[in-house]
């Protein structure tokens, strides 16, 4: 076996093991008996130990020095493996273990703090997590750029400065847009009523199939926080149900279907290799967002959905235009996960600025609450009324996810680019959406992006799919056009 | 860290990983999307590769040479680890890999052959599996006793000759009993009717709880072939439903509850060690069988169950005594898994004799069908009408499970001993069963047996629990008394 062959064989097993990890995570959120949490922690830790040993296997280092790639696919594989090996061998084992230990406890502390609205309870833990992540970033960073080193785990190839520049251009336009929209004379009404759980779930399945999700290679279950997991022939999705708010369930489903279609539609030849999964968090989010928003919340598609919902639930008290408005209502609110297309990115931007400052040391954890509340009031025009509606609302920082938040907004930016390119290629897209055939979009996305998995770098993945360099302009143009139209500005 | 500490730490991770394997197996039979089978095969193979490497880790050999146990628990741990290390290092890696490869394909070939009643289609595969298992047994056997070497994987400490002696004594009495019972003037009637699926499942949950199964540390799902899986805080069970035969569902549930209670009730201090799971297949089966038969099919318990079923399904057309008869009807049949308490062990004995002869070389695979059919006619008085009702009915041999069948009957023998001891200690057991409180039996079994997990050798586990050396006599006495009474002999 050549060094390259050894790497491919090694990665084949690692890929399968990381799928097993995904399966355990899925089980934990959907099926696991409540008394099994502690034991599951041990099972996950054992898997993590095995995977870490494989990622830092010294033989991998030797093979990487000797390996030559036979083709473009091989080059991409070596790029992924080299990045992972470098990343994982740079962090001292003791630090990796301490980070795993601290973050596994921290999530529980955060949950308690959030339930009690008690920032002080969370602060010592948060401080420790930040210390450890800064230490890890120092080990990883080649040029002293701590935040960029963390970002690199989720979105390789982009820097904090680049993201900051994109966000700065977006923020001005978003703030202007939200002011216009909130001040508009016409305000769409919300949809009211009770929507039985079983019917919401049945419609969820219909929607998943309409978007091209393959139930032979996945399944739909309930979870407290919807997520997707797995890849290839086993890519599962979850959703949740609130009987007075069917959009929660239906759009969670469509969002997760976007993630899962990406994983299902990667070329089978890439399976069992580092190319056999979505290339980055940002690109992944571009798929979930384009399904959920650009496609799923379009006037054309909501027209079809309106009919489906009347069929399932009877009279909705809204005509198609009113229904389109109810789906897309803009309202300032404290909670990121409940926010609309106009506000969502503003939520992300403040988190990005705050976490960058926490990692650089410009902001101390003890000053985070005041900084959050100031910024929120400035961007949203509403005061934070309690910490669980403020800095305690998201799990991310407790589990050490610094550098992750901006990939959500980057996903929106990429989705904007992709939708622009898709509209150019598929002139009949609105007709297809109005007829309940978003699969034409999935087919286009598969051919242009999804099937390539990890073959190209994240930014190149978008550029190749769109035929142009990504920027925030298409997203902003889309948002301004959509909401000016909807709000009759 | 001492050598002993190193072993304990190593085994902790291995235990957790083997739990993960169990979870994957559970998922495969209950939740996995149908298109994921091939990918799941790769995931299982990756886990198997990791576990095999851990079991044969050369460091384990060094630690075992140096280790001294601090206490009885430690001695038991070292005994388990030494047995596993010796077993796994004796088999050449190439042979282990070939066995895994051949048996993974063989199951599919067997399933095709069974579906088509085509013995010839299965014979080349079966021949190859036997060759490989004989080769493995040669590598494992210390004294040339091939079958005993295989048996040792499932029931350490007992030889084929010992089992043969027990079975010989049982067979005479069983054949005599079945003839008396089948010739009796009184024959109980079967229960007839339609029993809705959801109600069967609801009653299954009631039964599981009545026996002491803890749903906080497990769950109940549907599977084609019921099984239990997992241990400690995550011990899951499955059942199946036939709407015209509720006993299939209810007694499958009780059987699996027996297995799962054993795993749930092991002392928490043994978890994450080789002591933290059932000690052998035979002892495991003693738990499932005593729950299902000695307790679950007793006149006292069926009296309570009769009331539960009337409550759930309405009039059953049977009084309590007729219901007791319907639960315990004796009928000669081709299929092991559908057989009654009188016939079951006869099914096992013929498989035991045939597989011993296959492994010794006294019986050639090509002569198996004739040997099976001759023996079946002799013991059951009925001819085999087709291979799927004969030698193709069980999956075991296709996946290389030679030495496994006798543990089923050994479980029955052990259950007979345990029930004798339990009746002596708990004089009010029939009252408790008649009131739907079999938990008193679970409490007794926990104290006497279940909590000890793998602390003692299998036979010692039974001896310590019963206060006497196990033999077939208590089981045979119980069967003769029960069926003489029921059939009014």
């Amino acid at each position: 076996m050549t060094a390259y062959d050894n790497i491919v064989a090694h990665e084949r097993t690692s890929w399968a093991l990381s799928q097993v990890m995904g399966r355990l995570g899925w089980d934990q959120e959907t099926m696991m008996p409540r008394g099994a949490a502690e034991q599951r922690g041990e099972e996950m830790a054992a898997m993590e130990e095995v995977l870490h040993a494989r990622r830092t296997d010294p033989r991998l280092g030797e093979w990487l020095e000797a390996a030559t790639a036979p083709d473009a696919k091989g080059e991409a594989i070596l790029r992924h493996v080299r990045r992972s090996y470098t990343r994982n061998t740079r962090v001292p084992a003791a630090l990796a273990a301490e980070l795993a230990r601290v973050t596994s406890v921290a999530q529980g502390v955060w949950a308690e703090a959030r339930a009690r609205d008690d920032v002080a309870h969370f602060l010592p833990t948060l401080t420790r997590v930040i210390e450890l992540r800064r230490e890890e970033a120092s080990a990883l960073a080649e040029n002293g750029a701590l935040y960029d080193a963390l970002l690199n785990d989720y979105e390789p190839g982009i820097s904090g400065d680049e993201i900051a520049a994109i966000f700065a251009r977006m923020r001005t336009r978003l703030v202007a847009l939200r002011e216009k929209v909130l001040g508009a004379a016409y305000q769409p009404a919300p949809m009211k009523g009770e929507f039985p759980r079983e019917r919401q779930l049945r419609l969820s399945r219909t929607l998943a199939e309409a978007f091209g999700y393959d139930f032979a290679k996945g399944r739909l279950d309930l979870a407290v926080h919807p997520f997707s997991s797995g890849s290839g022939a086993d890519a599962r999705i979850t959703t949740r149900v609130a009987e007075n708010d069917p959009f929660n369930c239906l759009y969670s489903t469509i969002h997760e279907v976007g993630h899962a279609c990406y994983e299902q539609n990667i070329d089978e030849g890439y399976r069992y290799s580092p190319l056999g999964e979505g290339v980055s968090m940002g690109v992944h989010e571009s798929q979930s967002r384009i399904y959920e928003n650009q496609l799923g919340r379009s006037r054309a598609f909501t027209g079809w959905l309106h009919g489906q919902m009347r069929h399932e639930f009877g009279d909705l008290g809204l005509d198609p235009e009113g229904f389109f408005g109810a789906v897309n209502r803009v309202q300032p609110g404290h909670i990121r996960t409940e926010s609309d297309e106009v506000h969502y990115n503003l939520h992300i931007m403040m988190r990005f600025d705050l976490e960058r400052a926490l990692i650089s040391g410009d902001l101390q954890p003890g000053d985070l609450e005041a900084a959050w509340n100031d910024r929120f009031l400035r961007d949203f025009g509403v005061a934070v009324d309690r910490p669980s509606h403020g800095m305690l609302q998201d799990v991310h920082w407790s589990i050490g996810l610094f550098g992750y938040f901006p990939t959500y907004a980057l996903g929106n930016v990429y989705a904007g680019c992709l939708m622009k390119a898709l509209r150019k290629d598929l002139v009949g897209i609105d007709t297809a959406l109005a007829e309940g055939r978003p699969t034409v979009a999935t087919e286009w996305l598969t051919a242009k992006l999804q099937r390539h998995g990890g073959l190209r770098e994240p930014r190149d993945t978008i550029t190749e799919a769109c035929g142009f360099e990504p920027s925030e302009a298409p997203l902003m143009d889309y948002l301004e056009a959509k909401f000016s139209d909807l709000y009759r500005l």
Side-chain angles (χ1 to χ4, degrees), chain A:
Chain A
M1 296 237 293
T2 66
Y4 175 78
D5 292 339
N6 278 314
I7 289 171
V8 167
H10 186 87
E11 291 300 313
R12 187 178 180 91
T13 300
S14 296
W15 189 92
L17 293 172
S18 81
Q19 286 296 304
V20 173
M21 257 316 234
R23 222 72 70 222
L24 281 184
W26 173 86
D27 184 87
Q28 186 164 327
E29 302 301 325
T30 57
M31 299 289 158
M32 190 180 80
R34 63 188 156 76
E38 191 184 320
Q39 183 173 314
R40 177 57 56 90
E42 293 276 340
E43 293 166 16
M44 298 287 266
M47 288 296 295
E48 197 45 69
E49 181 186 325
V50 168
L51 278 162
H52 187 259
R54 295 186 67 85
R55 290 190 201 108
T56 56
D57 190 328
R59 293 175 306 166
L60 209 48
E62 291 162 24
W63 294 330
L64 279 168
E65 285 199 16
T68 49
D71 51 20
K73 176 185 163 187
E75 278 165 26
I77 289 174
L78 291 183
R79 188 177 68 237
H80 281 275
V81 177
R82 192 164 280 127
R83 181 179 287 142
S84 160
Y85 181 76
T86 306
R87 192 247 179 269
N88 286 293
T89 49
R90 274 191 188 156
V91 179
L95 175 58
E98 179 68 358
L99 250 169
R101 198 191 62 74
V102 168
T103 52
S104 80
V105 178
Q107 187 173 353
V109 176
W110 162 79
E112 282 167 20
R114 185 173 74 157
R116 306 201 313 239
D117 271 311
D118 184 352
V119 170
H121 182 62
F122 181 48
L123 271 187
T125 302
L126 177 64
T127 304
R128 182 71 183 135
V129 171
I130 293 170
E131 270 172 21
L132 289 168
R133 283 289 268 164
R134 279 171 52 94
E135 208 178 312
E136 190 185 30
S138 300
L140 292 172
E142 309 205 29
N143 47 10
L146 300 189
Y147 187 79
D148 290 359
L150 301 181
L151 191 57
N152 196 49
D153 274 354
Y154 314 114
E155 198 66 21
I158 197 163
S159 69
D161 284 346
E162 286 171 280
I163 292 176
I166 297 170
F167 284 2
R169 291 192 296 271
M170 287 169 76
R171 190 173 168 203
T172 320
R173 290 173 73 172
L174 283 172
V175 169
L177 178 59
R178 74 173 284 281
E179 279 171 16
K180 275 204 278 185
V181 162
L182 294 175
Y186 170 74
Q187 293 288 330
M191 191 171 67
K192 296 223 163 101
E194 284 291 310
F195 303 86
R197 169 196 182 88
E198 286 314 313
R199 292 182 183 197
Q200 289 194 41
L201 288 173
R202 187 163 60 197
L203 185 50
S204 280
R205 293 183 66 90
T206 303
L207 285 172
E209 280 171 348
F211 275 91
Y213 179 71
D214 182 354
F215 276 98
K217 300 195 266 172
R219 46 181 292 137
L220 172 65
D221 296 275
L222 288 169
V224 177
H225 302 287
F227 64 96
S228 67
S229 96
S231 189
D234 199 347
R236 305 180 184 187
I237 56 175
T238 58
T239 189
R240 63 179 160 198
V241 176
E243 294 211 319
N244 63 354
D245 176 14
F247 298 145
N248 193 325
C249 171
L250 302 179
Y251 283 95
S252 291
T253 301
I254 298 175
H255 180 98
E256 302 307 335
V257 161
H259 284 302
C261 280
Y262 187 10
E263 294 293 339
Q264 286 187 337
N265 293 332
I266 295 171
D267 272 355
E268 281 195 40
Y270 296 158
R271 203 175 289 174
Y272 312 120
S273 91
L275 311 192
E277 57 183 11
V279 70
S280 72
M281 294 300 144
V283 175
H284 236 302
E285 199 71 8
S286 77
Q287 301 306 291
S288 57
R289 296 294 173 153
I290 194 172
Y291 280 61
E292 179 187 353
N293 293 332
Q294 278 85 355
L295 299 167
R297 289 194 164 96
S298 63
R299 178 177 269 121
F301 186 75
T302 58
W304 177 78
L305 180 60
H306 179 256
Q308 294 295 306
M309 288 193 66
R310 281 168 55 106
H311 177 73
E312 195 67 70
F313 301 110
D315 182 42
L316 304 171
L318 293 170
D319 66 7
E321 183 63 20
F323 183 79
F324 174 55
V327 167
N328 286 289
R329 289 178 79 218
V330 176
Q331 284 199 304
H334 295 112
I335 306 297
R336 174 183 61 85
T337 56
E338 297 169 2
S339 65
D340 54 74
E341 280 184 88
V342 174
H343 283 103
Y344 189 87
N345 295 304
L346 290 169
H347 283 279
I348 295 303
M349 288 170 193
M350 62 176 280
R351 285 161 179 74
F352 168 73
D353 287 336
L354 293 170
E355 71 177 15
R356 260 186 118 193
L358 287 167
I359 294 298
S360 74
D362 289 346
L363 178 64
Q364 295 308 309
D367 299 327
L368 175 61
E369 186 178 14
W372 179 294
N373 293 353
D374 284 355
R375 170 70 176 261
F376 191 83
L377 184 61
R378 233 179 317 141
D379 279 8
F380 292 79
V382 188
V384 172
D385 59 346
R386 67 187 81 156
S388 58
H389 289 174
M391 64 160 273
L392 291 181
Q393 72 181 263
D394 293 309
V395 68
H396 300 60
W397 290 336
S398 78
I399 52 175
L401 290 180
F402 291 86
Y404 192 105
F405 276 125
T407 68
Y408 292 136
L410 213 53
N412 284 325
V413 166
Y414 290 162
C417 298
L418 290 165
M419 193 64 196
K420 180 178 174 180
L422 184 149
R423 282 203 173 278
K424 197 174 153 218
D425 281 6
L426 302 180
V427 287
I429 181 64
D430 283 328
T431 308
L433 292 174
E435 292 169 356
R437 293 185 289 109
T439 39
V440 301
T442 295
E443 284 159 17
W444 186 88
L445 286 163
T446 299
K448 294 285 181 178
L449 186 150
Q450 294 179 355
R451 72 185 185 86
H452 299 301
L455 183 67
R456 300 168 180 143
E457 290 281 36
R459 190 185 163 91
D460 296 341
T461 301
I462 302 297
T463 306
E464 289 284 328
C466 296
F468 55 82
E469 292 280 331
S471 82
E472 78 290 349
L475 174 69
M476 291 309 308
D477 293 347
Y478 150 81
L479 288 174
E480 286 165 356
K482 173 175 177 175
F483 288 94
S484 297
D485 172 34
L486 169 58
Y487 278 82
R488 304 169 189 177
L489 300 175

